[in-house]
Amino acid sequence: QYHAELPSNDESLVCLQLLSDLRAAGFGVQDLSDNEMAKSHGRYLCGGRPHQASTSSSDACIEHVYRFEFPERPGALKTFLETFTRQASGWNVSLFHYRNHGHDVGRVLVGVQLPPGQERAWQTFLQRLGYPYCAENSNVVYQQFLCTPEDDS
């Protein structure tokens, strides 16, 4: 059983104390309070990592995860899909998560598996689409909960 003494009503001090107490008790913890992917998408996703037999093949697709802001207007998703379809050559959408709470933008997390050699075409797609985006492959939430671990064999 774990018990933490929380000495203050100041939220940031309480958080720091809780993290410190958990670490002292031997738990591996990470503060995701400022992680936009965790707040907008990660906490709503479940199911874990995809099963992949082998990633060592030279023709294996590589997953790229991006966080987009879709304009909240009719046709925004259609624009994404039409631009994607025109550009895609063997691309696979592996993840699509949409969130909106009445804002002027929809927050969208997209995973795309690209065959080798398609990174330049993907960059062209991002430029043509014109929606704000952020690459999330190095995000701790993606790394710990969503991506396929590298094959250790």
Side-chain angles (χ1 to χ4, degrees), residues 87 91 114-115 117-127:
Q87 199 68 39
W91 300 358
L114 301 176
Q118 288 290 309
E119 289 79 11
R120 178 178 248 171
W122 175 251
Q123 292 302 318
T124 301
F125 161 76
L126 293 172
Q127 291 171 358

Side-chain angles (χ1 to χ4, degrees), residues 80-148:
F80 176 86
L81 294 173
E82 287 176 347
T83 306
F84 184 91
T85 302
R86 280 193 305 271
Q87 199 68 39
S89 176
W91 300 358
N92 177 51
V93 174
S94 55
L95 170 74
F96 192 92
H97 185 252
Y98 175 88
R99 298 281 304 156
N100 185 316
H101 291 286
H103 299 282
D104 59 344
V105 295
R107 290 164 175 31
V108 181
L109 187 66
V110 177
V112 178
Q113 293 170 325
L114 301 176
Q118 288 290 309
E119 289 79 11
R120 178 178 248 171
W122 175 251
Q123 292 302 318
T124 301
F125 161 76
L126 293 172
Q127 291 171 358
R128 286 187 178 154
L129 182 63
Y131 295 170
Y133 65 88
C134 179
E136 294 289 5
N137 278 58
S138 61
N139 189 301
V140 66
V141 173
Y142 175 73
Q143 291 294 319
Q144 289 185 358
F145 301 108
L146 299 173
C147 78
T148 302

